[in-house]
Structure formats: C-alpha cells, structure tokens
Amino acid sequence: MGRAPCCDKNGLKKGPWTPEEDQKLIDYIQKHGCGNWRTLPKYAGLQRCGKSCRLRWTNYLRPDIKRGGFSFEEEETIIQLHSILGNKWSAIAARLPGRTDNEIKNYWNTHIRKKLLRMGIDPVTHSPRLDLLDLSSILSSSDLYNQSQMNMSRLLGVQSFFNPELLRLATSLMSPQRENQNQNQNQNFLLQNVEENRLCSSQGQNRYQPLVQSNHLPTQVQEIPSCNSLNTPCSIPFSNEAQVMNLNVDQCPSNLTDLSDWQGNAIPSNLTEDYVPLMPNYNYYGSDQTLAPSAETSIFHSNNSNQSFSFASVISTRSSSPTPLNSSSTYINSCSTEDERESYCSNILKLEIPDILEANEFM
DNA sequence: AAGTCTATCAACCGCTATTAC
DNA sequence: AGTAATAGCGGTTGATAGACT
C-alpha cells in the first residue's frame, strides 16, 4: 500500500493564477515553507493541486527569481550550455541564478533557436545546417553552379563560425574536377555525418555531431559507434591524421587568438591519445575574445582519462563563470536591443545565397 | 477601425525517477 | 519487496498582446 492520493482533482482550479491566489501561496510559504506540496493547497486555502502550486512558486513567485530580459552573457551561457547539455533546461537553469528552467526553455524556443536558424546554425547540433549546405545536387545541375561556387567561397570566409571541414566538403562535393574516388569518400563522410546527426537527434538527447577539424579530408571512414549517452559523444569518422586523442589542456596552443594554424593544420603532435573533438566552440557573436575554441571549454576532454567529459571545465569558462551575469557585458554591449544584436550578428554572418534559391524555404 | 497573423510565456500534460508506506 | 504517490523534468498548449494588413 502506497501513499494516499495527493489530492482530489475534482473541483480544483486550473488556468492563470489570480493575485489573491498568489498572495495566499506566498503567505503560506513564508510562514511554513514549501515542504509538502501535497498538503500545501489545503492548508493555504487554495483550490489548486500541489503540482500547480509548486510550479507557480518555482517559476514565478519565488523571491530570487530574476525578471526581465536576458543579458548577452546569459544568452551566450545558455547557448554554450545547451550545446553541451542539450535540452536539459533544469541543468542549464542551475547555472543561471534567478532564471527558471521554464523561462530558459521559453527563451530558447522563442529567441535563441530562431536566431541560430537565421545564422545558419542548427540549434540542435550547433553545427552549420546541413540542409542549407547540401545544395550541391541542385546547384551542380544548373547554370547557377558558378555563382554558387562563388558564394560557397564566401561561406568559407566565415569558417571560424562554421565548421570549416563541413564547408570544405560541401565545396569539394560541388567541384566538377574532383576525382570520383574522392567524391565517393567525401559523400560517404558527409552522409555519415548527416546520418549520425539524425541518429543523435532521434535519441532525444542532443548529442554532438562534431566534425573533424583538420585540413585533411578523411581518407578512411572508420566504423561509427552509436552515441548513447551524454558522456559518450557521437564519434565520427576520423582522418588518419586526426585520430581520437585526449587533449591535455596544458598542451593547447598558448596563443588562441589566432587558431588558423592550430585549427587548420591538424592537431598538435604532442597531444595524447584521447582527444575527442566534441564540438567547436563556435563564437555565435563573433567577438574576438571568443573567436577561438576555448581551451577551457567543451572541445576538450579532461586530462583525466577516467572522465569522459569534464563539466567543471565547461562551466568555468569566462562567459559562464559564476560572476554576476548582470555585470556589464564585454561582447556587444553597444547593441542594446535585440534587433541591434541580430543586426550585429547578421553583419558578421553575411551568408550570400542566390536569391533564386529562396533561402527562406530552408529557414 | 476591424480582422488576421504572429510572438510570447504562463501553465498544463505526461512521463520518469525517487520516495514513502 | 512491492505498490503507489510525489517531485521534478521536458514538451506542448492556449490565452493574450502587439504588429500587420
């Protein structure tokens, strides 16, 4: 025999809370605390179920709730954490004092998600959207080809934002001079990444589908293990040069302000063998300060080989540091409104897609 | 001014893990 | 140990306000 039922659902009020109900709930919790949600409505004189009371309190009435718009730092923190945690809103909220999981979830769905889509970033994988890039079949069969190639080159100009390997592959796929063998291999590689993306997404956990950060196209596609947990991020086919390695953070290039050498010229040879390129830390805002994948953040595993992932290292980044989030932002403070922010972002990300492609259809 | 569309967000629903009995 | 309630979580809905035609 278990517990008695929490409440009689008949006759309980639903819908928006009135100020009187709010006051009753606040008064009761201030006096007695919120120990037992089951009995709370009865003693507080509310015709609500305990679950509704709990939700109202935790999402709205709690005194430490921070109201108002999200700061840039909060937004960036949400994006970073989401890229690691996926839709674990409560875990994300735990890193944002005063914000509730519901609020963050709503903000993600109504603002950030759309913004990332406009920027050509898949909000689920945080990678460039493959559906935008996989235009080769359309373009190569038309006289738009030359124009598209030019635009792909421009896309490649923003490779600090977008995964350079993916863009390179996309361009490669569009090249009429490519050798058949390379073509097949590249397509295999790309298709497997697409498939892996689907696989990860379909598992309901936002598992990263990182792409090899190397100038070398994969010459050998290795078997792809399934991705089944947060701690075992989707593996990917690696080139011979970019084997799975464990990157000791101390061994990272000291100067991360210019990653072109490090990122573009394969991985330093002095790295140990556990490196998994979890995800590039794309700089969504284009700030110089975050241009490079941070050695402190998510692309690196802990040096401790027993840990497949170090959350401590992730959440200790500057932008997600416990310092007050309402402190003045160092990123794009000059943009005070969301429109300004988006304008700023779109200036950074001038993706030129031929008008005839009706890019809106992909958005 | 009226009707329609769109964005927002509080609240609910359904599920799972945990806990009390 | 088994059962059922509770707490908490993520997904979804629907009321509302504001923008647009």
Side-chain angles (χ1 to χ4, degrees):
Chain A
M1 186 65 185
R3 294 177 172 182
C6 87
C7 56
D8 178 12
K9 301 217 171 191
N10 295 328
L12 294 180
K13 191 181 172 191
K14 290 169 68 174
W17 281 63
T18 64
E20 291 76 23
E21 287 177 310
D22 284 345
Q23 198 54 52
K24 281 183 181 178
L25 184 56
I26 292 169
D27 288 345
Y28 181 86
I29 290 176
Q30 281 177 346
K31 284 182 185 173
H32 306 94
C34 49
N36 190 337
W37 293 112
R38 171 189 161 209
T39 56
L40 186 150
K42 177 184 168 187
Y43 293 126
L46 291 163
Q47 297 298 309
R48 298 271 183 174
C49 76
K51 190 174 183 175
S52 180
C53 293
R54 178 177 57 81
L55 210 62
R56 182 65 179 172
W57 175 258
T58 56
N59 284 343
Y60 200 81
L61 298 176
R62 236 173 50 201
D64 58 329
I65 296 243
K66 187 196 292 181
R67 312 225 58 93
F70 283 74
S71 69
F72 298 129
E73 287 189 350
E74 284 178 303
E75 187 171 320
E76 197 194 36
T77 300
I78 292 169
I79 293 171
Q80 285 193 359
L81 291 173
H82 184 275
S83 71
I84 300 155
L85 300 167
N87 294 358
K88 303 292 181 189
W89 305 117
S90 60
I92 295 172
R95 292 295 306 166
L96 290 165
R99 300 296 187 184
T100 68
D101 53 355
N102 205 39
E103 193 178 13
I104 292 170
K105 178 173 60 180
N106 282 332
Y107 189 69
W108 175 271
N109 287 327
T110 57
H111 291 86
I112 300 176
R113 188 177 170 277
K114 291 174 185 175
K115 186 180 290 184
L116 293 182
L117 284 171
R118 277 196 292 271
M119 292 167 72
I121 297 170
D122 187 329
V124 176
T125 64
H126 293 250
S127 298
R129 293 179 63 192
L130 291 169
D131 55 340
L132 283 176
L133 291 169
D134 189 21
L135 301 173
S136 58
S137 59
I138 304 168
L139 298 173
S140 61
S141 62
S142 75
D143 55 5
L144 288 169
Y145 175 75
N146 288 333
Q147 189 183 356
S148 66
Q149 220 181 14
M150 180 179 66
N151 282 287
M152 189 57 73
S153 300
R154 291 178 183 173
L155 273 174
L156 287 168
V158 292
Q159 52 183 268
S160 60
F161 259 78
F162 285 168
N163 188 301
E165 191 69 16
L166 180 61
L167 293 172
R168 203 173 291 116
L169 283 168
T171 304
S172 172
L173 285 172
M174 295 167 64
S175 167
Q177 284 89 24
R178 65 184 183 270
E179 295 176 5
N180 286 338
Q181 188 181 4
N182 282 341
Q183 175 188 358
N184 291 337
Q185 287 171 343
N186 292 343
Q187 285 175 336
N188 260 345
F189 178 67
L190 196 54
L191 285 172
Q192 291 204 30
N193 275 292
V194 172
E195 203 53 43
E196 186 80 352
N197 254 334
R198 288 186 186 138
L199 183 62
C200 296
S201 300
S202 69
Q203 292 186 348
Q205 297 187 1
N206 168 31
R207 297 310 52 101
Y208 252 93
Q209 176 41 53
L211 292 159
V212 174
Q213 304 233 357
S214 154
N215 266 346
H216 308 281
L217 288 174
T219 54
Q220 198 171 0
V221 175
Q222 299 173 353
E223 187 179 359
I224 304 174
S226 62
C227 48
N228 49 20
S229 80
L230 187 64
N231 289 336
T232 54
C234 305
S235 189
I236 57 169
F238 290 97
S239 68
N240 289 340
E241 295 83 0
Q243 296 295 325
V244 177
M245 292 182 292
N246 188 13
L247 179 57
N248 183 338
V249 173
D250 295 330
Q251 294 172 310
C252 292
S254 55
N255 178 9
L256 289 176
T257 57
D258 183 348
L259 259 216
S260 57
D261 285 338
W262 176 56
Q263 188 175 0
N265 294 332
I267 301 189
S269 58
N270 60 340
L271 302 177
T272 57
E273 284 231 284
D274 278 342
Y275 170 66
V276 175
L278 269 175
M279 54 166 283
N281 183 19
Y282 297 117
N283 171 21
Y284 299 94
Y285 292 129
S287 157
D288 286 346
Q289 296 181 344
T290 56
L291 194 60
S294 166
E296 303 168 27
T297 55
S298 45
I299 61 169
F300 303 123
H301 276 213
S302 161
N303 193 29
N304 179 351
S305 59
N306 292 329
Q307 292 177 297
S308 58
F309 188 78
S310 168
F311 276 85
S313 69
V314 172
I315 59 186
S316 64
T317 59
R318 172 198 45 72
S319 58
S320 57
S321 68
T323 52
L325 291 168
N326 55 359
S327 62
S328 63
S329 169
T330 56
Y331 304 118
I332 40 177
N333 287 330
S334 57
C335 305
S336 57
T337 68
E338 185 168 347
D339 284 347
E340 286 171 328
R341 272 182 272 171
E342 293 193 13
S343 173
Y344 183 91
C345 294
S346 54
N347 283 338
I348 295 166
L349 261 182
K350 289 234 180 279
L351 304 182
E352 297 197 26
I353 298 171
D355 292 339
I356 196 167
L357 287 179
E358 290 291 331
N360 285 339
E361 289 181 17
F362 298 98
M363 299 296 187

